[in-house]
Amino acid sequence: MMTFHSKGILLTLAIVGCVMARSGNAAEEPALGTIVPEGEMTIFCQKAVAAKFEAQPEDISTDPPIRREGKLLVLGTVDSEDDDRDAGFDCRFEENGAYLGIIGAPSD
């Protein structure tokens, strides 16, 4: 039988493991299938692009979601260091708001 002290140690180790797993500067791209309300898709997309391509959120511009071929798309650009070429992308969502991923990539 596990004692209160043993449970406390296990909980402490679990918390330390979670903190260590997330220690690092890079944010994680959100999980595919995450349900996102339509009103939050633009900011969700900005954060996903920032995490995936290690871009600053202020360098990412997005438009409101549009419906196309049964999907919701958030179109946007990432400002590149070369001011003449901003890279385009789109975040894709199912009609129910399930996140499908990012199409396109910033050019280096």
Side-chain angles (χ1 to χ4, degrees):
M1 178 174 204
M2 192 175 286
T3 65
F4 179 74
H5 182 69
S6 298
K7 289 180 184 177
I9 291 173
L10 288 175
L11 179 60
T12 301
L13 290 174
I15 291 170
V16 169
C18 289
V19 169
M20 295 301 291
R22 294 189 183 266
S23 66
N25 296 334
E28 290 184 27
E29 185 180 356
L32 298 179
T34 301
I35 303 296
V36 182
E38 190 170 340
E40 298 174 17
M41 287 181 180
T42 55
I43 191 72
F44 182 92
C45 185
Q46 282 179 316
K47 290 178 182 180
V49 170
K52 183 171 184 172
F53 300 112
E54 298 179 6
Q56 296 299 315
E58 60 267 15
D59 293 335
I60 301 167
S61 302
T62 54
D63 294 329
I66 58 171
R67 294 185 191 287
R68 186 178 297 159
E69 298 178 10
K71 306 279 188 250
L72 288 160
L73 306 176
V74 174
L75 306 176
T77 58
V78 177
D79 296 338
S80 68
E81 292 179 15
D82 176 7
D83 292 330
D84 296 334
R85 287 186 49 199
D86 291 345
F89 64 86
D90 65 277
C91 293
R92 296 178 181 252
F93 300 87
E94 291 284 359
E95 280 289 324
N96 69 353
Y99 174 62
L100 297 173
I102 301 167
I103 304 294
S107 56
D108 292 327

